[in-house]
Amino acid sequence: MLGKWSSADGSFKRQRSVFQEPISSDHPVFKPAKGRYWLYVSLACPWAHRTLITRALKGLTSVIGVSVVHWHLDAQGWRFLTADEQTRQKAFKDGIFESQAGGIASAKLDKSSHLANVANDSARLFSDATFDPNQHAARLSELYYKADPDYNARFTVPVLWDTQTQTIVSNESAQIIRTLNSGVLDEFAGEEATKIDLVPSELESQIDEFNAWVYDNINNGVYKTGFAESAAVYENEVTNVFAHLNRVESILSEKYGKLKQKYHRLDEVLAHYYTVGEQLTEADVRLYTTIIRFDPVYVQHFKCNFTTIRDGYPHIHLWMQNLYWNNAAFRLTTDFDHIKLHYTRSHTRINPLGITPLGPIPDIKPLVD
Ligand SMILES: N[C@@H](CCC(=O)N[C@@H](CS)C(=O)NCC(=O)O)C(=O)O
């Protein structure tokens, strides 16, 4: 029996993660190593998406493997596709788990151009999902029970898995991205990536402060809006989401004005156009995964429809486009089909007919119109 998300007053409550270990040379079990750890993600999930972006930014795509669950979440939770030994071997040979920064490498080979043609039970290997080469699990729940036979909460992604002891290191995205950023795996990463620090000490308190209100009011705010079970809760939450988007817009608008005075060319401005300080930080990673889903899903599916990012928030829009179009770690880990299909076809209480809206068109606008 899966745990309940909502509480008696109809408001949405997110459960606390129960596995929260770091990887570190001081840790009694989880020591740094190449090829030992594995990420289980959903390309639809904004929390899992944070870990894919961080893994790519830190040059860890050939250090930590990835499995992608099917976009359709049903009553038994997330599932993988199963694959025979030959397909598994070939996938490794083709570098499918490494080449696309966490996306599904061969998706282009097998992609329906119309979302309507994709059934909820479709099983297109490397397009709808990948397999689990470690435990050969059919369900994510099997990994949770392997780690703890008495586990009795929800089976959430992301999961950082230790292939050596066959257990979960962490299922808390905020902690996983701090671990990946901490430098413990730097010795196995490319030289350029090791220079990236998403939480530089001089910005740490600002990043933490920004993350805290963005988490409660935007990242989780859209869920509190969409899963509200009464009009009063919904109206309160949706108003709150937009009040905080306004706050981000004014931070970025001020930042843009200052950068325009300092640098002249747009590419120079964009190279410093981030939420905290003038460099890419964890604050950008965590905000991005919600903003990129906003127009395609949250506007209609979660009823966050005061306006769209593209029409109502020019500075947030430019910031998002810059991350997507100018940074492969963001672009290659963003899969709009998984994003749209997952929400609209898994939340049957919100969208009982499971019809997936095709728009907005395009999913994201080009950087220069
Ligand atoms: N605390 C977790 C939250 C993760 C989470 O809520 N994941 C959702 C997908 S967006 C999930 O896996 N839900 C599965 C379910 O509810 O059965 C984190 O940030 O890592």
Side-chain angles (χ1 to χ4, degrees):
M1 183 64 188
L2 300 177
K4 265 185 79 165
W5 280 119
S6 60
S7 55
D9 68 352
S11 58
F12 170 74
K13 297 273 181 288
R14 187 169 294 283
Q15 71 170 29
R16 289 194 52 189
S17 306
V18 295
F19 301 94
Q20 291 212 34
E21 294 296 321
I23 296 168
S24 145
S25 45
D26 302 332
H27 194 282
V29 181
F30 304 127
K31 310 278 188 201
K34 181 176 177 166
R36 174 170 170 176
Y37 300 98
W38 199 268
L39 267 173
Y40 292 94
V41 299
S42 154
L43 296 180
C45 169
W47 321 102
H49 195 176
R50 298 167 162 183
T51 66
L52 283 181
I53 295 170
T54 306
R55 167 179 172 271
L57 288 170
K58 290 293 289 179
L60 298 172
T61 53
S62 43
V63 178
I64 300 178
V66 165
S67 291
V68 175
V69 294
H70 195 288
W71 45 263
H72 183 236
L73 176 71
D74 66 18
Q76 280 77 51
W78 297 109
R79 66 179 185 272
F80 302 102
L81 296 189
T82 46
D84 56 31
E85 192 49 35
Q86 205 187 352
T87 311
R88 286 197 186 110
Q89 297 299 334
K90 189 170 173 344
F92 279 105
K93 216 170 100 254
D94 294 351
I96 241 141
F97 293 109
E98 297 170 3
S99 53
Q100 288 278 315
I104 299 180
S106 60
K108 278 182 225 72
L109 300 177
D110 180 15
K111 205 165 209 178
S112 171
S113 55
H114 297 288
L115 298 178
N117 292 343
V118 186
N120 283 8
D121 62 356
S122 65
R124 301 171 304 166
L125 194 61
F126 306 121
S127 179
D128 288 326
T130 67
F131 55 86
D132 164 26
N134 302 311
Q135 297 292 313
H136 305 174
R139 291 275 171 182
L140 186 70
S141 58
E142 293 167 39
L143 300 175
Y144 274 86
Y145 288 133
K146 177 92 187 165
D148 175 5
D150 297 324
Y151 185 77
N152 67 355
R154 297 191 73 93
F155 310 112
T156 55
V157 284
V159 164
L160 181 62
W161 179 259
D162 177 18
T163 60
Q164 196 166 309
T165 60
Q166 303 190 9
T167 196
I168 296 175
V169 181
S170 176
N171 66 341
E172 173 49 55
S173 62
Q175 196 223 355
I176 296 172
I177 63 178
R178 284 278 160 119
T179 296
L180 301 189
N181 185 63
S182 68
V184 284
L185 297 169
D186 275 5
E187 61 183 294
F188 313 111
E191 207 184 308
E192 277 310 300
T194 62
K195 292 185 198 139
I196 290 178
D197 182 1
L198 295 171
V199 193
S201 52
E202 68 279 13
L203 294 177
E204 189 170 349
S205 60
Q206 277 185 67
I207 293 169
D208 287 341
E209 201 255 332
F210 185 87
N211 284 345
W213 64 260
V214 165
Y215 171 79
D216 198 33
N217 301 291
I218 298 179
N219 301 136
N220 207 26
V222 294
Y223 279 85
K224 289 189 278 188
T225 306
F227 285 141
E229 300 255 333
S230 79
V233 172
Y234 160 72
E235 288 176 15
N236 198 32
E237 295 295 351
V238 73
T239 306
N240 185 57
V241 165
F242 281 91
H244 288 86
L245 286 176
N246 292 348
R247 183 169 168 190
V248 177
E249 178 67 13
S250 74
I251 290 169
L252 284 173
S253 153
E254 195 182 316
K255 173 116 350 143
Y256 189 80
K258 282 197 182 134
L259 291 171
K260 264 305 239 197
Q261 289 186 335
K262 204 158 145 191
Y263 308 99
H264 299 293
R265 294 201 331 257
L266 180 64
D267 61 331
E268 289 174 323
V269 171
L270 292 181
H272 299 88
Y273 187 43
Y274 299 106
T275 50
V276 174
E278 291 190 13
Q279 66 188 84
L280 178 66
T281 70
E282 186 190 83
D284 300 295
V285 173
R286 291 176 43 137
L287 180 63
Y288 170 86
T289 65
T290 296
I291 300 301
I292 199 72
R293 286 161 176 72
F294 206 88
D295 290 3
V297 170
Y298 300 149
V299 169
Q300 58 79 26
H301 185 72
F302 280 170
K303 306 182 189 77
C304 292
N305 64 353
F306 286 9
T307 182
T308 57
I309 298 296
R310 65 189 66 189
D311 293 321
Y313 292 104
H315 294 94
I316 300 178
H317 188 216
L318 179 63
W319 164 87
M320 175 189 80
Q321 289 176 301
N322 183 37
L323 292 177
Y324 182 91
W325 292 111
N326 290 330
N327 193 325
F330 289 81
R331 190 172 60 258
L332 297 177
T333 57
T334 301
D335 187 311
F336 289 109
D337 286 356
H338 275 242
I339 290 171
K340 287 176 167 178
L341 288 164
H342 161 67
Y343 285 92
T344 57
R345 300 196 184 193
S346 305
H347 302 154
T348 48
R349 199 167 155 85
I350 296 178
N351 189 26
L353 293 179
I355 294 172
T356 305
L358 283 180
I361 298 171
D363 292 317
I364 178 167
K365 288 188 163 186
L367 193 49
V368 183
D369 278 320

